Amino acid sequence: MTSSTALASRTAPSRWLALAVLCIAMLMIILDGTITTVALPVLQADLGFTTAALAWTVNAYLVPLGGLLLLAGRLGDLYGRRRMLLGGLSLFVLASLLCGLAIDATMLIAARFVQGVGAAMASAVVLGMVVALFPEPGERARAMGAYAFVGAAGASIGTLLGGVLTDTVGWRWIFLVNVPIGVAAVLLALKYVAADSPTDRSARPDVPGGLLVTAGLVLAVFTIVDTSAPALRLGMAVLAVALLAGFVRRQQRAAEPLVRLRIFRSRAVSGGNAAQLLMVAGMLGFQFVAALYLQRALGYTAAQTGFGLLPITLTIALVSLTASGRLIARSGARTVLIAGEILLVAGLLLLTRPPVGSYVVDVLPSMIVLGIGAGLALPAVTTLMMSDATPEDAGLASGLANTSQQVGGALGTAVLAALAAARTDAATAAGATVTEALTSGYHLAFLISAVAVATAGVVTVTVLRRA
């Protein structure tokens, strides 16, 4: 019995319980990418971080998560996806415990890196498992809605949860809360997620290819999020490109390649990943900048900022869980994706209106429009990316989808933060007040986010026209 048949053969209630377990695991992994954002000042005071090192509370998680996804996805194909999921969750729980018990900055950064490795192992195989659980198009569309909601809402929930926990029981609980949830996820996965068989017991992973792509992606992400001298960052970028080019060359010649390059012949895979990268760059970059906007321009506290971003999460939940699956089944994923991208651009442009006003008048309408757009677009693009995946390639396609999401988010955050800071400095030098200067920078970031999503729309209309 193949792995996809074994998973899909479960009863309908059991399959939906398995989906719930997978979504819980993904939610925990995704929200940990942003949960430290509102706790940074407290972490700096308690653990003695320097200003430069403080950024590594986020970077040490993103770098291995972005760099190891493809290798983990292929290992899941070869040795069993449930096995990779359980191993990744177990490592993630252990690392979360070490983060919560950290006594200094070095220990926290090291534990965050291990956390990122575990997150990569688990998240790389989840999407492939969802595809195997739901082979019927209508059910798969609804399952993708739940999965996409987790991906879209995780960052906002992380900001909200981080602010609330930091203001109430202390920063250590932003990590320790993962321990009981993660243990429960492991136990539930053992019960409800069916064991799968490797696709080829005689196959061996392409270790040289894995080293090349992992090193290249790690350096690429490091170049995006690091704040070193420009010359050093340029050197790292050149080396990253060289390593990734070497990886492509290796895949062309290897007898058992890590990535079968023929997968990119599919417009659904290549175009879908390109559209998602651009869309997530705009959306995750927006969430990072929006958190700063609410705190620094409107004077919100950490917890208030989390609650201020909550409407977008609730709207995504409502749309992705109740409407997106039906609309995709009725009108097609490409049509729904285009509609979602249009709404995302509109919502981001609404945030560029000057001057600074009230949350209800100037921010809340954008949150609602953005939530509707994301609730439509993210399930649709996920459905498209996985639509051509064979059982043998499902893990690889899942790893590619997660990689484009993580790299897009890191790129968007880095670029938008830099542009906002440069515009703010220029406005301050021109004599603007602090609030005016900050607002000018954030409005530019929102505009660039809209451009990124609009570019994703162009990719959808052109590349995905026959997907």
Side-chain angles (χ1 to χ4, degrees), residues 54-235:
L54 189 62
W56 279 103
T57 61
V58 177
N59 298 353
Y61 184 77
L62 292 179
V63 166
L65 178 55
L68 293 171
L69 282 169
L70 283 177
L71 180 59
R74 183 58 178 152
L75 290 172
D77 282 346
L78 295 179
Y79 300 119
R81 293 172 195 148
R82 192 181 78 151
R83 186 177 300 171
M84 183 64 64
L85 172 72
L86 294 173
L89 287 177
S90 299
L91 186 62
F92 184 88
V93 169
L94 175 61
S96 296
L97 178 62
L98 294 175
C99 286
L101 299 177
I103 59 175
D104 57 27
T106 301
M107 181 176 175
L108 180 61
I109 290 173
R112 283 287 277 171
F113 189 91
V114 176
Q115 216 185 10
V117 173
M121 292 171 61
S123 62
V125 297
V126 167
L127 190 54
M129 297 177 80
V130 173
V131 170
L133 279 168
F134 298 95
E136 194 275 320
E139 286 191 337
R140 180 179 293 182
R142 293 193 292 275
M144 289 298 182
Y147 176 87
F149 160 69
V150 169
S156 294
I157 294 173
T159 303
L160 171 62
L161 188 62
V164 172
L165 291 176
T166 300
D167 286 351
T168 54
V169 294
W171 66 265
R172 294 185 184 276
W173 279 97
I174 66 179
F175 303 113
L176 294 177
V177 72
N178 290 328
V179 176
I181 296 173
V183 169
V186 169
L187 295 176
L188 290 171
L190 285 169
K191 182 175 182 179
Y192 293 111
V193 179
D196 56 312
S197 301
T199 57
D200 186 353
R201 293 182 184 276
S202 65
R204 294 292 181 269
D206 177 18
V207 175
L211 293 175
L212 283 170
V213 70
T214 301
L217 289 174
V218 166
L219 275 178
V221 174
F222 186 84
T223 301
I224 294 168
V225 301
D226 191 41
T227 57
S228 301
L232 177 59
R233 296 181 73 185
L234 178 61

Side-chain angles (χ1 to χ4, degrees), residues 87 127 147 152 184 204 234 237 260 278 317 372 401 425 427 459 462:
L127 190 54
Y147 176 87
R204 294 292 181 269
L234 178 61
R260 294 173 288 281
L278 290 164
I372 296 172
D425 291 343
V459 172
T462 55

